[in-house]
Amino acid sequence: MDIDTGSDTSEGAGFAHPLLAWLADVDAGIDAAIECPTLSLPLDQYEPAMRQLAAYEAKLASLRLRVTRQAELNDVRKLTGAANTAGWVQQTTRMGRREASVSVRLAKALDQTLRATGQALADGQISLGQAQVIERAIRRLPNDVDVEVKAEAEAFLLDSAQALDTDDLDKAGKHLYEVIAPEDAERRIGKQLEEQERRARENRTLSFGPVRDGVGTIFMRLDVPTLAILQALLDPLARPRPTGPDGPDLRSSERRQADAFAEFLGVAQAAVDAPNRGSVRPRITVTVSYDGLVNKVGYATLNSVLTDSGPTRLKVKTQAGAGGSGGSIGRDESIGPGGQTLIGYRITGPPLSATLVRQLACDAEIIPAVLGGDGAVLDLGRGTRLFTSSQRHALAERDGYFCHFPHCRRPEKWTEAHHIQHWIDGGATDLNNGVLLCQHHHTTIHTKGWVVRMGPDGHPEYIPPPWVDPYQNVIRPADPTLVRRP
């Protein structure tokens, strides 16, 4: 091989180091191997080919680590302005920051303390991943462990690497740590687990995806204990059903898990000690017309937080048309002569068939809010000091499934039922005297000078104190208006 050393070696001009020449030959050989078709490779030669490629990868990794270590000793990073050698490696190889740091640390360890591992990697006897596992296992040992003991541990791991993959070798390294330094291992592992568990609890998340075509999605990240509890609860419910008249249970594992989760929710909902807010047990409400419920025609609407937009208040106007028949439907907020304003709702939640609503209505914890032809909600309870759960649902049907205070969107489950005329002052516990307010705005009404009263449109309205509005203009939550004939 001819190596051109150039004429001006004192300044390095034209000098080509033998390493670069050898790498050029390697590059040519790799290009030739890549162009070689593999279709004709005999089946019994795939394994030796893969083993040889793995050995070459290990040798090249060893060479790269040697260059990395020498670059650190020569402070090559200064040529590019990198903050440290890891930064230089990251710039040069486009590694990630963590990968570059691990590479620099491994290069140093193979040069200083783990030379046997470095030689095994250079000989292609272990992979780069195995070398990283061995370095991590030895680094994990306490500082007061004798050098001879660490050398024996390295030899044990190198011998084990001939039969174990990186995952099992990592387990062997952890076990070695527990054998060599049991007290330190117990303390450190316990501390690491506590920190890991703390982060897992803090990173728990659950969110609901959009509902499309009757199907919604849940995204969950759970810590291990919570996940184990959930799996233990679902496992008895997710077992395949015994073979019956319909044949064997052909549901997939995923389907059985989903069915088990649905069944589990029903069990939890019916539990005596089910969680509640505002003394209300878990319930859902569906809105359906009376005719639809009786005749099983049409559809209903599920009122829930599965969609951003909940029920919207409607001002319903009936107009007499020619000959006393119904007139047109429009968004005219004015009320003409002979017209009648009725309060109803336009529901924007996920739709359900009327047939399914009849099935759901069999469960006392699923409430069908039946609307008459005029869209009005019936009064559902009177005569007690506290609003019943049925009355709370009726209030939510009337005013929206949120805190009714202007510009507040706290969900209905977080609200409290407020007597517009206080009970102590003779106010009745019925829908005409109630409004749902979150705890903050409930306190505001009681202590900050705000006045809430029932407006002429059948919905609560608010009068601010003079220090908020000197003119004390009436505030009505802005809602769209729909005019329709009966």
Side-chain angles (χ1 to χ4, degrees):
M1 180 189 305
D2 295 331
I3 301 176
D4 181 12
T5 60
S7 59
D8 188 3
T9 57
S10 61
E11 297 296 327
F15 175 74
H17 192 279
L19 175 61
L20 297 180
W22 282 108
L23 290 176
D25 288 342
V26 170
D27 183 62
I30 291 178
D31 287 343
I34 291 175
E35 293 176 359
C36 180
T38 58
L39 181 62
S40 59
L41 186 66
L43 295 182
D44 60 347
Q45 295 182 20
Y46 274 88
E47 181 177 343
M50 286 292 289
R51 291 185 180 278
Q52 195 66 51
L53 287 171
Y56 289 156
E57 286 180 349
K59 293 180 178 182
L60 286 173
S62 171
L63 182 58
R64 177 174 57 79
L65 291 172
R66 285 174 53 196
V67 173
T68 299
R69 176 56 177 163
Q70 199 60 46
E72 183 176 37
L73 294 175
N74 292 338
D75 221 3
V76 174
R77 65 178 181 84
K78 292 182 178 179
L79 297 177
T80 61
N84 48 42
T85 305
W88 175 78
V89 171
Q90 184 180 6
Q91 293 175 1
T92 305
T93 64
R94 295 187 295 278
M95 288 184 183
R97 180 180 304 175
R98 182 180 180 278
E99 185 182 6
S101 298
V102 170
S103 180
V104 173
R105 185 179 65 216
L106 178 61
K108 182 177 181 179
L110 297 183
D111 178 53
Q112 291 184 336
T113 59
L114 301 177
R115 295 196 173 185
T117 301
Q119 188 60 52
L121 182 64
D123 293 339
Q125 296 177 356
I126 62 173
S127 68
L128 175 62
Q130 289 177 314
Q132 292 173 335
V133 168
I134 294 173
E135 186 275 331
R136 186 165 59 245
I138 301 302
R139 177 166 46 86
R140 190 184 293 124
L141 297 175
N143 294 330
D144 57 356
V145 174
D146 293 340
V147 175
E148 293 79 5
V149 175
K150 289 185 177 181
E152 293 178 5
E154 180 186 9
F156 167 77
L157 292 174
L158 283 173
D159 184 60
S160 301
Q162 305 307 310
L164 301 179
D165 59 26
T166 54
D167 293 335
D168 289 336
L169 187 63
D170 186 53
K171 295 177 183 178
K174 292 178 180 178
H175 178 68
L176 188 67
Y177 174 36
E178 295 171 4
V179 171
I180 294 177
E183 295 181 358
D184 184 78
E186 184 176 358
R187 176 191 60 79
R188 182 179 296 187
I189 292 174
K191 186 176 181 180
Q192 290 175 346
L193 287 175
E194 288 178 0
E195 178 62 20
Q196 177 179 302
E197 292 162 357
R198 181 191 64 79
R199 290 197 305 268
R201 287 191 298 269
E202 292 178 352
N203 291 328
R204 286 188 299 202
T205 58
L206 188 152
S207 60
F208 294 89
V211 176
R212 296 188 180 94
D213 299 328
V215 177
T217 306
I218 299 177
F219 304 93
M220 290 192 294
R221 286 170 52 91
L222 301 177
D223 57 296
V224 171
T226 303
L227 183 62
I229 293 172
L230 179 60
Q231 288 178 322
L233 290 170
L234 296 183
D235 181 65
L237 304 176
R239 294 173 181 171
R241 290 190 291 261
T243 300
D246 297 331
D249 189 350
L250 300 179
R251 295 175 300 166
S252 65
S253 174
E254 292 80 3
R255 168 67 188 278
R256 287 189 283 106
Q257 291 286 350
D259 290 348
F261 188 68
E263 185 176 352
F264 168 71
L265 292 180
V267 173
Q269 185 185 37
V272 175
D273 56 349
N276 65 78
R277 282 190 182 273
S279 301
V280 178
R281 295 173 62 192
R283 289 180 174 177
I284 62 174
T285 303
V286 291
T287 304
V288 62
S289 70
Y290 177 78
D291 290 340
L293 183 63
V294 172
N295 300 322
K296 296 188 291 185
V297 297
Y299 68 95
T301 304
L302 176 65
N303 306 335
S304 74
V305 295
L306 292 177
T307 54
D308 293 335
S309 55
T312 304
R313 189 185 73 183
L314 303 177
K315 185 182 293 182
V316 183
K317 176 187 174 186
T318 60
Q319 303 182 62
S325 61
S328 61
I329 300 176
R331 289 189 173 271
D332 182 10
E333 296 193 21
S334 63
I335 303 176
Q340 182 182 5
T341 301
L342 301 171
I343 304 303
Y345 263 83
R346 181 184 64 211
I347 308 299
T348 58
L352 302 175
S353 69
T355 300
L356 178 58
V357 174
R358 286 173 60 87
Q359 176 183 341
L360 296 178
C362 295
D363 190 334
E365 297 302 326
I366 300 178
I367 303 171
V370 183
L371 305 182
D374 57 9
V377 180
L378 297 178
D379 199 340
L380 300 180
R382 295 179 183 273
T384 60
R385 184 178 69 84
L386 298 177
F387 286 90
T388 66
S389 59
S390 296
Q391 287 175 309
R392 286 178 55 91
H393 279 277
L395 290 173
E397 282 290 317
R398 186 194 67 194
D399 297 327
Y401 280 72
F402 305 94
C403 169
H404 189 259
F405 196 88
H407 309 301
C408 183
R409 301 292 286 179
R410 301 286 283 181
E412 175 263 337
K413 288 186 177 182
W414 297 2
T415 62
E416 301 169 352
H418 168 69
H419 288 79
I420 293 176
Q421 181 183 5
H422 300 322
W423 172 268
I424 196 67
D425 297 329
T429 304
D430 58 39
L431 300 189
N432 291 328
N433 193 45
V435 61
L436 295 180
L437 300 169
C438 68
Q439 186 180 48
H440 171 74
H441 287 124
H442 197 180
T443 303
T444 298
I445 293 295
H446 276 277
T447 64
K448 303 297 183 181
W450 283 76
V451 175
V452 57
R453 69 186 186 189
M454 189 60 67
D457 62 350
H459 291 271
E461 59 186 19
Y462 302 84
I463 302 175
W467 54 86
V468 174
D469 180 6
Y471 301 100
Q472 293 191 283
N473 293 308
V474 176
I475 301 175
R476 300 182 181 92
D479 292 308
T481 300
L482 176 65
V483 180
R484 70 182 184 189
R485 61 185 178 182

